[in-house]
Amino acid sequence: MSEIVEPVFLIGATSGIGGEVRQRLLERGRRLVSLSRDPTKLGPPVAGETQRQCDLMDGNSTRAALKDARIIISCVHARFVDQILKVSNDSGIRLIQMGSTRAFSRVPDPTVNLVANGEKSLKASRLSWVMLQSTMIHGFNGEDNIQRIRQLVRRSPILPLPGGGKALMQPIHTSDVVRSVLACLDNPNVTGPIIIAGRSALSYRDLVHAVAKTEGRRILIIPLPIPLLLALRHVLAMIRFGPRMSREEILRLQEDKCFDIGRMRAELGVNPLDFIEALQLSNEQEGIKYE
């Protein structure tokens, strides 16, 4: 007699990462319960898939959606952890939750606290849980991180960057995020918070030059002092194509965002792409030639 495999309940199945995870699970032939606030956005269910409405701001909706869940993958913001725990806080439940390395920011910010509080709630729960603390994700349909930079370098050969773009970052490609999620699903012994990031860090300046190269352009980067940017942020927000950034977002631009991915490699078995490799993969998928 074959072993009965529990279905996976996927919260946020219509999000960028959630959609990628959903596709991979269906390709695996895994039984799947896809959850979305608006299930009509999922399209018709495919073989092995059940679709349910789940509004995490509505306790009754969440309870009905997760009433028989034993394995949950949550691709929504960590601020919703408490809503999930209110209806699914049993020792026999496995939760794989997306998080963010923003929790490590030294800049006081309510969004930072929301991520950190989600992890605290998980630590106090009875669940078997993993929180994948991700750096900036790129490469999925609808992402606006790298796409925003593309638009900027297409519009002008000159790009002012805070501090000249010297701060380090370690973006991760969506394919490595999905591989990490699936590794947590395959190995129930992996628990706790795990940082997931690209293979190596690079400066914001080098990232912009790499993106510009794919566009066949050269960019002159002008250093912009952080105090000046803070003083001008309200003026810039009134310009049609000007950036709309909070004070906290501007201050975080000074922070290096590079992390140790030892657990990602050792426990998840994922050796991530570096940014150039990841950019080439995304460009191949979009039909952009990289020279």
Side-chain angles (χ1 to χ4, degrees), residues 14 20 44 160 273:
T14 53
E20 298 284 344
L273 302 169

Side-chain angles (χ1 to χ4, degrees), residues 269-290:
V270 176
N271 185 30
L273 302 169
D274 67 23
F275 181 71
I276 299 300
E277 292 171 335
L279 190 60
Q280 289 174 330
L281 176 60
S282 293
N283 291 343
E284 289 169 4
Q285 294 170 341
E286 298 175 24
I288 300 174
K289 186 178 180 181
Y290 188 95

Side-chain angles (χ1 to χ4, degrees), residues 67-138:
K67 60 184 178 181
D68 47 351
R70 308 306 292 173
I71 302 174
I72 304 169
I73 297 175
S74 173
C75 293
V76 297
H77 195 282
R79 69 176 178 269
F80 292 110
V81 164
D82 285 338
Q83 282 87 333
I84 297 171
L85 292 178
K86 285 178 182 177
V87 302
S88 299
N89 193 1
D90 183 88
S91 59
I93 296 175
R94 170 78 163 166
L95 172 63
I96 302 165
Q97 171 69 50
M98 287 302 302
S100 170
T101 52
R102 181 172 289 189
F104 300 105
S105 175
R106 298 180 300 277
V107 178
D109 184 352
T111 61
V112 173
N113 295 335
L114 288 172
V115 177
N117 290 340
E119 182 180 340
K120 289 179 182 177
S121 294
L122 287 174
K123 288 179 177 178
S125 75
R126 297 190 295 271
L127 301 182
S128 166
W129 62 274
V130 181
M131 176 177 277
L132 295 174
Q133 298 170 312
S134 170
T135 54
M136 182 185 79
I137 304 172
H138 67 104

Side-chain angles (χ1 to χ4, degrees), residues 28-272:
R28 283 183 163 198
R30 187 69 185 254
R31 286 196 299 151
L32 180 64
V33 181
S34 297
L35 306 177
S36 174
R37 187 166 55 183
D38 182 4
T40 61
K41 294 181 179 180
L42 291 166
V46 301
E49 180 187 34
T50 301
Q51 298 178 355
R52 295 181 184 175
Q53 194 269 347
C54 180
D55 183 351
L56 291 172
M57 298 304 295
D58 183 331
N60 292 329
S61 171
T62 307
R63 186 174 293 103
L66 297 175
K67 60 184 178 181
D68 47 351
R70 308 306 292 173
I71 302 174
I72 304 169
I73 297 175
S74 173
C75 293
V76 297
H77 195 282
R79 69 176 178 269
F80 292 110
V81 164
D82 285 338
Q83 282 87 333
I84 297 171
L85 292 178
K86 285 178 182 177
V87 302
S88 299
N89 193 1
D90 183 88
S91 59
I93 296 175
R94 170 78 163 166
L95 172 63
I96 302 165
Q97 171 69 50
M98 287 302 302
S100 170
T101 52
R102 181 172 289 189
F104 300 105
S105 175
R106 298 180 300 277
V107 178
D109 184 352
T111 61
V112 173
N113 295 335
L114 288 172
V115 177
N117 290 340
E119 182 180 340
K120 289 179 182 177
S121 294
L122 287 174
K123 288 179 177 178
S125 75
R126 297 190 295 271
L127 301 182
S128 166
W129 62 274
V130 181
M131 176 177 277
L132 295 174
Q133 298 170 312
S134 170
T135 54
M136 182 185 79
I137 304 172
H138 67 104
F140 62 87
N141 185 31
E143 67 94 357
D144 64 354
N145 296 313
I146 301 305
Q147 296 307 320
R148 186 185 307 171
I149 295 173
R150 285 193 196 282
Q151 294 171 5
L152 289 172
V153 300
R154 287 170 182 170
R155 282 202 294 264
S156 172
I158 300 175
L159 183 62
L161 288 182
K166 294 179 180 178
L168 298 177
M169 56 199 314
Q170 200 170 343
I172 182 171
H173 192 265
T174 181
S175 62
D176 289 322
V177 176
V178 174
R179 289 168 62 204
S180 297
V181 170
L182 297 180
C184 293
L185 179 63
D186 294 339
N187 187 353
N189 294 321
V190 174
T191 59
I194 297 181
I195 293 172
I196 59 173
R199 185 183 304 164
S200 56
L202 75 166
S203 68
Y204 194 8
R205 180 188 192 94
D206 288 342
L207 183 147
V208 169
H209 281 306
V211 174
K213 187 175 180 181
T214 69
E215 297 293 320
R217 298 172 185 264
R218 292 185 177 182
I219 290 293
L220 175 62
I221 292 177
I222 305 297
L224 186 64
I226 294 289
L228 178 60
L229 184 55
L230 286 169
L232 294 177
R233 66 187 179 91
H234 295 299
V235 176
L236 292 172
M238 292 186 289
I239 302 174
R240 182 180 178 187
F241 295 112
R244 289 163 174 78
M245 304 177 71
S246 68
R247 177 179 180 275
E248 292 76 16
E249 287 175 315
I250 293 172
L251 291 175
R252 280 200 300 272
L253 292 173
Q254 302 177 93
E255 293 185 316
D256 286 334
K257 305 174 185 68
C258 45
F259 300 91
D260 181 359
I261 56 172
R263 288 192 68 197
M264 179 186 186
R265 283 174 162 149
E267 298 182 40
L268 303 184
V270 176
N271 185 30

Side-chain angles (χ1 to χ4, degrees), residues 2-13:
S2 60
E3 181 183 357
I4 298 176
V5 179
E6 291 280 355
V8 175
F9 285 67
L10 177 62
I11 302 175

